[in-house]
Amino acid sequence: MRVEDIDTVLELFEAVAAERRYIGTEPGFDRAVYRARLAARVDDRQRPSFVARIDGRLIGHLSISQHHEFGPTLGMMVAAEYRGRGVGRALLQQACAWATAAGYPLSLLVFPHNHAARGLYRSMGFLEVERFERDAVRANGEVWDTILMRKTFS
Ligand SMILES: CC(C)(COP(=O)(O)OP(=O)(O)OC[C@H]1O[C@@H](n2cnc3c(N)ncnc32)[C@H](O)[C@@H]1OP(=O)(O)O)[C@@H](O)C(=O)NCCC(=O)NCCS
């Protein structure tokens, strides 16, 4: 991800947040905070971000954060109209290459109903480690479980 990608990544993030189904963040998040977070990681080799483009258009993003408990933890998204074409797999392959070189395991949290994401992660060798019941409070008052998945590379 380059500095000039940040606005487009934010737009993608807003669109996926507006689906209110797949990622923890929902509409109304503080854009300035997310912008600063993205900017801080552009040159950060410990927290890399990857983007996917088709015909020059940015349509996917994956970032790795350092979670205080789980270590390197990824979040990813593909624009709705480009899903199911191998973009997510390509992004995840980049993240796995980074983790292999760095010698870190990779973790993530996924909602149980997110079958596409769980299928992708499982097909790439991620294992479901733990289910956290009633872990994520949603804007509509619902509370969803999350599943911790992890892949080790040693
Ligand atoms: C999850 C997501 C990133 C996957 O990206 P994608 O580009 O659609 O996935 P791909 O086309 O690379 O699919 C890779 C694999 O995922 C699985 N998969 C994809 N869509 C699926 C679906 N609808 N149901 C079940 N498995 C699915 C399959 O194993 C697939 O491999 P195959 O095509 O060889 O069968 C994308 O759906 C997305 O952005 N969703 C909204 C945001 C999100 O859920 N982020 C992750 C939060 S944990």
Side-chain angles (χ1 to χ4, degrees):
M1 187 186 73
R2 305 182 295 230
V3 175
E4 53 270 33
D5 293 328
I6 290 177
D7 279 338
T8 317
V9 170
L10 276 174
E11 280 165 24
L12 175 61
F13 199 72
E14 271 177 352
V16 179
E19 294 180 76
R20 294 190 187 270
R21 184 148 180 81
Y22 301 117
I23 62 173
T25 304
E26 294 189 77
F29 66 87
D30 188 334
R31 205 178 157 109
V33 169
Y34 277 74
R35 174 186 296 284
R37 273 190 209 153
L38 286 168
R41 62 178 52 229
V42 167
D43 293 317
D44 187 341
R45 291 182 179 194
Q46 293 300 306
R47 297 182 303 162
S49 260
F50 304 96
V51 295
R53 293 176 218 275
I54 291 183
D55 296 333
R57 183 177 169 205
L58 194 158
I59 46 87
H61 177 249
L62 183 154
S63 63
I64 297 171
S65 309
Q66 294 293 334
H67 189 279
H68 66 281
E69 189 179 350
F70 308 138
T73 300
L74 70 87
M76 66 184 296
M77 61 197 67
V78 172
E81 61 272 34
Y82 288 93
R83 290 176 194 158
R85 299 188 193 184
V87 175
R89 186 181 296 283
L91 281 167
L92 198 52
Q93 280 165 348
Q94 290 296 310
C96 290
W98 172 84
T100 303
Y104 293 135
L106 270 184
S107 300
L108 60 92
L109 287 166
V110 62
F111 293 129
H113 58 255
N114 195 345
H115 300 295
R118 289 172 71 186
L120 169 60
Y121 300 139
R122 272 198 299 263
S123 78
M124 295 276 298
F126 284 74
L127 299 177
E128 300 194 349
V129 175
E130 193 170 355
R131 182 167 178 141
F132 301 110
E133 288 183 18
R134 298 179 62 75
D135 188 38
V137 180
R138 307 297 291 176
N140 65 0
E142 292 179 6
V143 190
W144 294 352
D145 293 358
T146 58
I147 297 170
L148 174 65
M149 298 186 73
R150 181 170 294 135
K151 180 171 179 170
T152 52
F153 295 88
S154 51

